[in-house]
Amino acid sequence: MPIGKATAAMMVVVIIWAWLWISTTDLKHKKDAGALYCIDKNLQVSEKLGKLSISNGMAWTADNKRLYHTDSVTGAIKSYLYDERTGDLEFECIAVQISLEKGVPDGIALDAEGKLWIALWGGYGVGRFDVDSGEMLGFIDVPAPNVSSCAFVGDALDQMIITTAKKGMTENDLKGFPESGHIFIVEPGVTGATVFNCVL
């Protein structure tokens, strides 16, 4: 797995049946230089998706049959049919397409109702989307422009942790948004989908 000086791991997700998933990008976000890898219980590494630019958010449905994945520069969150025994992926459709004025899709999370929450880099918040229609159903405002990820937390998965970043911001930008780079916890009004554990 070529993660070296020019490549960075963007996100690590664990999933049932022992698969460990790692998405990567070139440090300068070179086109087609990123990929999505998985590591099996025998510690064998395989590339599952290639020619990505900023391979980013990942979220599996509660039945573990479908993966939603973000390649940020495309603005698309794609749906893949997922074989939990082999780790193989089959492209299904674009579930959500984010327009540039809404921001760039970054980290994602699924709630118990099957709706997709998307952190919007440059979008000042986290949107809740219907994966069938692609429509935005709700929005959580965040006092920082660069929202990088979101995840359901707490014993009942009824809270959401939201991360933000200062990257690319000027001194004047930071004066306007001094909480950039902070972590926020909110109550989104829904609970998160079941999460899976890795047994590596």
Side-chain angles (χ1 to χ4, degrees):
M1 180 171 57
I3 299 179
K5 290 183 179 179
T7 310
M10 291 295 292
M11 187 167 293
V12 178
V13 172
V14 296
I15 199 72
I16 204 166
W17 299 113
W19 302 108
L20 174 70
W21 293 79
I22 302 173
S23 59
T24 66
T25 184
D26 180 83
L27 290 177
K28 295 183 178 180
H29 303 316
K30 182 180 176 182
K31 185 180 179 182
D32 297 338
L36 178 63
Y37 299 91
C38 73
I39 304 173
D40 67 20
K41 62 184 178 181
N42 298 314
L43 303 183
Q44 296 299 307
V45 179
S46 59
E47 181 181 298
K48 295 300 183 180
L49 296 175
K51 293 189 176 181
L52 303 172
S53 294
I54 305 179
S55 180
N56 220 320
M58 293 177 272
W60 276 261
T61 52
D63 62 6
N64 210 26
K65 300 297 184 184
R66 186 171 278 105
L67 165 69
Y68 295 106
H69 175 264
T70 306
D71 187 1
S72 292
V73 296
T74 69
I77 294 85
K78 296 179 179 178
S79 174
Y80 294 88
L81 300 178
Y82 174 60
D83 186 327
E84 62 186 358
R85 297 283 181 177
T86 65
D88 291 339
L89 300 171
E90 179 184 345
F91 174 74
E92 182 181 29
C93 65
I94 294 177
V96 178
Q97 181 70 50
I98 303 295
S99 59
L100 192 57
E101 59 265 24
K102 282 190 173 72
V104 176
D106 207 320
I108 60 177
L110 273 171
D111 65 33
E113 297 175 7
K115 309 306 181 188
L116 191 64
W117 295 76
I118 303 173
L120 297 170
W121 184 277
Y124 301 84
V126 178
R128 185 185 190 227
F129 292 82
D130 186 292
V131 294
D132 295 317
S133 67
E135 177 186 3
M136 187 164 72
L137 306 174
F139 189 80
I140 297 175
D141 289 293
V142 175
N146 296 331
V147 182
S148 54
S149 196
C150 57
F152 287 94
V153 297
D155 292 340
L157 296 177
D158 58 351
Q159 296 178 305
M160 176 176 285
I161 189 167
I162 299 172
T163 60
T164 66
K166 297 180 180 180
K167 183 179 179 180
M169 297 181 70
T170 66
E171 204 171 303
N172 282 336
D173 292 335
L174 291 171
K175 286 179 181 177
F177 298 97
E179 293 178 281
S180 293
H182 289 199
I183 295 172
F184 301 87
I185 295 179
V186 300
E187 294 182 356
V190 295
T191 57
T194 303
V195 294
F196 300 99
N197 295 318
C198 181
V199 296
L200 288 180

